[in-house]
Amino acid sequence: GKFETAQLTPVASELVTAPRALECPVHLEAAVTAIHSLAEDDPSQRGRIITFELKILRVHLEESIMVEGDSSKIDPDKWRPLIMSFQQFYGLGKQVHPSALAEIPEQLYRQ
């Protein structure tokens, strides 16, 4: 199966039937809330590009990537997710420039 091919270990999810991958430091359990077809006005693309809207039901985070002393925040210096850019895979480097958005108290985003 897919897990064996990727050399990953399946772990049962708590709220959904799809398994999680033990080796991944971040797991998101989600439910599909909507499916959107794109490019409906283009006959050559109609039905070929589909996006899925998800509702995150549960988040699992490995302790090793968390901010020391705060189990609700990921430390961006500890987690280096894989990112695809123009069909190529990249990791994150060091912070390039401070962000003004990072100065806004996070609880204001949760209101």
Side-chain angles (χ1 to χ4, degrees), residues 7-106:
Q7 299 180 349
L8 297 172
T9 309
V11 177
S13 293
E14 297 175 6
L15 301 175
V16 299
T17 57
R20 301 178 285 134
L22 177 67
E23 292 78 5
C24 296
V26 176
H27 302 165
L28 303 176
E29 294 187 44
V32 176
T33 57
I35 299 172
H36 306 280
S37 183
L38 303 180
E40 286 297 306
D41 61 336
D42 181 348
S44 68
Q45 293 295 320
R46 187 177 300 122
R48 299 182 67 176
I49 304 172
I50 299 172
T51 62
F52 296 87
E53 189 175 334
L54 304 173
K55 178 179 182 180
I56 303 300
L57 303 175
R58 175 126 330 142
V59 176
H60 304 269
L61 302 170
E62 194 174 280
E63 281 188 39
S64 66
I65 65 169
M66 303 306 294
V67 169
E68 185 111 11
D70 188 343
S71 63
S72 69
K73 293 183 183 174
I74 294 175
D75 185 333
D77 290 322
K78 293 179 181 177
W79 186 43
R80 296 288 182 230
L82 187 63
I83 296 175
M84 180 179 273
S85 178
F86 296 100
Q87 300 179 358
Q88 300 296 323
F89 291 109
Y90 295 89
L92 293 178
K94 294 194 179 270
Q95 182 181 20
V96 177
H97 189 277
S99 167
L101 291 175
E103 297 172 13
I104 299 170
E106 192 172 321

